[in-house]
Amino acid sequence: MSKLKTKCIMKPLAELMLLDRFLFACAMEDSKILELVLSIVLEKEIELMKQPQSERELRTAPWLRSIRLDVYAMDEEDSVYNAEVQKQNTGNLIKRSRFY
């Protein structure tokens, strides 16, 4: 069985866009930026309780699989948000959307 090799291309910071995983995570870790984005998308005021966390891993039990959230945040009403960026529409959003 052959292993697939992925080529890692490093971009200079000046060439990154908000759609790039690194810059998206860095920007969304700023609670004011994430509050603004969530408020625009959800069309309601969002006030986060704590600092958002990127690459947050959640596991409900030791024997179950964990999930990794791109950017995790919780608001004052205990609603949990997982912000993710997708560069292109792959047509599988329904399959990728899950309730945890």
Side-chain angles (χ1 to χ4, degrees):
M1 188 165 48
S2 66
K3 292 183 180 181
L4 295 175
K5 292 184 181 181
T6 57
K7 189 174 184 180
C8 183
I9 299 172
M10 300 290 280
K11 286 185 185 178
L13 186 58
E15 292 179 18
L16 292 178
M17 300 184 313
L18 196 53
L19 292 175
D20 291 302
R21 182 177 171 166
F22 173 78
L23 189 58
F24 179 79
C26 288
M28 295 302 128
E29 281 184 335
D30 182 307
S31 58
K32 294 300 175 194
I33 292 174
L34 184 55
E35 284 176 351
L36 180 60
V37 169
L38 290 173
S39 295
I40 290 169
V41 171
L42 300 174
E43 297 179 337
K44 68 177 191 173
E45 281 298 310
I46 304 291
E47 290 189 42
L48 300 176
M49 276 187 358
K50 298 179 182 174
Q51 182 74 19
Q53 300 171 352
S54 62
E55 298 296 324
R56 168 82 184 261
E57 187 174 299
L58 293 178
R59 184 183 304 256
T60 56
W63 58 87
L64 296 176
R65 289 186 189 183
S66 64
I67 60 169
R68 180 164 291 150
L69 306 175
D70 288 358
V71 180
Y72 170 91
M74 184 181 290
D75 69 10
E76 293 177 335
E77 298 172 359
D78 291 333
S79 295
V80 174
Y81 301 93
N82 173 31
E84 295 189 13
V85 67
Q86 188 171 349
K87 287 186 177 185
Q88 53 186 254
N89 184 356
T90 58
N92 65 349
L93 185 58
I94 293 173
K95 288 182 180 180
R96 294 180 66 232
S97 299
R98 300 183 188 122
F99 177 76
Y100 293 101

